[in-house]
Amino acid sequence: QVQLVESGGGLVQPGGSLRLSCVASGSIHYINAMGWYRQAPGKQRDLVATIGTGNDTNYADFVKGRFTVSRDSAKNTVHLQMNSLEPEDTAVYYCYADLMEDYGELGVTDDYWGQGTQVTVSS
């Protein structure tokens, strides 16, 4: 099986920074893309940022210029550097991976999710 584990969440003041990390482990053959989604209470889960195999990135408009997503493919790890945090960024942040498991069907990937890590921005 595959497991995604997030870390780095916590409580920060407006304008502060946090760095989230996510490590994928298990029977992984290939990771196509990794990234982050977030979900605030009573709201849907929204894309924050993703990064592909060529380090091509995709950001939601509400984090452009403030957040940076990066990955270490050799370690099956993705990071999210969050700067200039605002109260509106408060949410549970979920790690996401589009990957192919060992012994899976050739060329077929599936979506996997971490358990989430809480980010709270408040004074």
Side-chain angles (χ1 to χ4, degrees):
Q1 71 278 10
V2 174
Q3 185 178 23
L4 275 59
V5 179
E6 303 101 331
S7 62
L11 174 65
V12 297
Q13 293 185 339
S17 298
L18 284 175
R19 184 172 184 262
L20 306 183
S21 298
C22 173
V23 179
S25 62
S27 301
I28 300 171
H29 178 70
Y30 174 77
I31 299 180
N32 179 47
M34 299 186 76
W36 298 90
Y37 288 67
R38 73 185 190 187
Q39 186 170 21
K43 297 185 177 180
Q44 68 179 42
R45 186 176 299 186
D46 294 323
L47 180 144
V48 177
T50 60
I51 183 166
T53 57
N55 290 327
D56 51 303
T57 56
N58 182 39
Y59 293 96
D61 287 340
F62 52 80
V63 303
K64 286 182 178 178
R66 300 189 297 123
F67 292 8
T68 302
V69 65
S70 60
R71 69 184 289 180
D72 185 341
S73 296
K75 298 180 179 180
N76 294 333
T77 300
V78 64
H79 305 281
L80 184 68
Q81 179 65 46
M82 304 185 295
N83 299 323
S84 301
L85 284 163
E86 304 169 351
E88 293 77 12
D89 296 317
T90 296
V92 177
Y93 284 70
Y94 294 92
C95 180
Y96 158 83
D98 176 41
L99 60 84
M100 183 189 310
E101 292 188 73
D102 284 339
Y103 310 107
E105 184 177 352
L106 184 64
V108 178
T109 61
D110 293 310
D111 295 339
Y112 292 85
W113 297 91
Q115 80 288 346
T117 184
Q118 177 69 48
V119 172
T120 302
V121 185
S122 176
S123 60

